[in-house]
Amino acid sequence: AQSVTQLGSHVSVSEGALVLLRCNYSSSVPPYLFWYVQYPNQGLQLLLKYTTGATLVKGINGFEAEFKKSETSFHLTKPSAHMSDAAEYFCAVSESEYSGGGADGLTFGKGTHLIIQP
Amino acid sequence: GAGVSQSPSNKVTEKGKDVELRCDPISGHTALYWYRQSLGQGLEFLIYFQGNSAPDKSGLPSDRFSAERTGGSVSTLTIQRTQQEDSAVYLCASSLHPGLTYEQYFGPGTRLTVT
């Protein structure tokens, strides 16, 4: 069974500093990996996803993530934090493309609340 | 274009009452998903529709939960005899086709409070 662990329920960084949100997964097959962002009172928005191919994935708003199979990690980074980045971030995994399900739901981590200090 | 919409945005109900939550997916999207976001529990997948059919209902928390989709569009999640542990934000998402190569677009959610 697949699972996701996000280290740190809250992460605080200064504006302009590096953002690093950690995500480790457990999967019995090559996973599909996702990062979503949720702004207050809004739905989830896809930041980026890894399916196959290049292990460094670039997403919207300057975020990127690197799939490291040996570390079973998919950490999210951004070189310079903006105040507008303050939100809840969710890492998610799915094996369904390999299990034949084709469209099962995603398994999400519990989320990391990113706080940006001025 | 219009995104995924959900109604009501907030629902307060008494324990034991039934509630219906509605999801309007993006027009033309064939796949529809329901998730539950509980405090401290994160996001939990509930059920998925391909067209009007749900291939797997095992993600529903109990037999008090049911969902249907009609006309390949609107979906309703029904919770019977609500309990306090049902309090959560219920999120709906849709995608153009089934499969994870297609992005899931999420609605703003319905916040359910059971008193």
Side-chain angles (χ1 to χ4, degrees):
Chain A
Q2 61 214 31
S3 66
V4 176
T5 302
Q6 290 184 242
L7 296 177
S9 59
H10 291 76
V11 170
S12 180
V13 302
S14 299
E15 189 174 18
L18 171 71
V19 175
L20 171 60
L21 303 183
R22 299 179 185 274
C23 172
N24 288 88
Y25 68 90
S26 172
S27 175
S28 58
V29 298
Y32 281 20
L33 295 160
F34 304 78
W35 275 100
Y36 282 84
V37 61
Q38 186 177 32
Y39 298 102
N41 300 315
Q42 295 186 29
L44 276 74
Q45 180 182 6
L46 181 66
L47 272 178
L48 49 80
K49 69 179 180 183
Y50 169 79
T51 54
T52 59
T55 56
L56 181 62
V57 181
K58 295 187 183 297
I60 62 173
N61 301 338
F63 284 94
E64 62 182 36
E66 186 172 10
F67 169 57
K68 291 187 177 181
K69 182 179 178 181
S70 62
E71 298 178 7
T72 60
S73 69
F74 192 56
H75 302 330
L76 182 71
T77 61
K78 181 174 181 178
S80 177
H82 294 172
M83 296 299 292
S84 60
D85 294 328
E88 191 85 13
Y89 291 80
F90 293 92
C91 181
V93 65
S94 180
E95 300 174 347
S96 67
E97 290 291 338
Y98 295 93
S99 68
D104 294 338
L106 300 166
T107 297
F108 285 87
K110 293 191 176 182
T112 297
H113 186 63
L114 178 62
I115 301 163
I116 310 297
Q117 303 282 0
Chain B
V4 177
S5 61
Q6 293 184 244
S7 60
S9 55
N10 281 282
K11 177 71 176 179
V12 180
T13 189
E14 293 180 353
K15 178 182 174 181
K17 300 284 190 182
D18 297 351
V19 295
E20 285 189 353
L21 312 180
R22 177 187 169 105
C23 172
D24 280 272
I26 294 173
S27 178
H29 279 196
T30 62
L32 186 147
Y33 306 78
W34 282 100
Y35 294 85
R36 178 169 70 174
Q37 186 174 21
S38 305
L39 190 63
Q41 298 296 317
L43 279 150
E44 173 189 13
F45 168 68
L46 299 179
I47 192 168
Y48 140 75
F49 286 90
Q50 179 176 344
N52 290 334
S53 65
D56 183 0
K57 301 181 179 180
S58 62
L60 295 174
S62 76
D63 58 8
R64 296 185 295 104
F65 287 71
S66 63
E68 65 176 13
R69 188 180 186 194
T70 56
S73 181
V74 172
S75 177
T76 303
L77 178 69
T78 301
I79 309 173
Q80 296 179 309
R81 306 181 301 282
T82 53
Q83 303 295 313
Q84 288 186 331
E85 61 262 28
D86 299 335
S87 296
V89 176
Y90 290 82
L91 293 169
C92 175
S94 70
S95 63
L96 184 61
H97 294 297
L100 296 173
T101 55
Y102 296 95
E103 179 178 348
Q104 293 184 26
Y105 294 84
F106 283 79
T110 293
R111 181 176 298 277
L112 174 67
T113 304
V114 182
T115 61

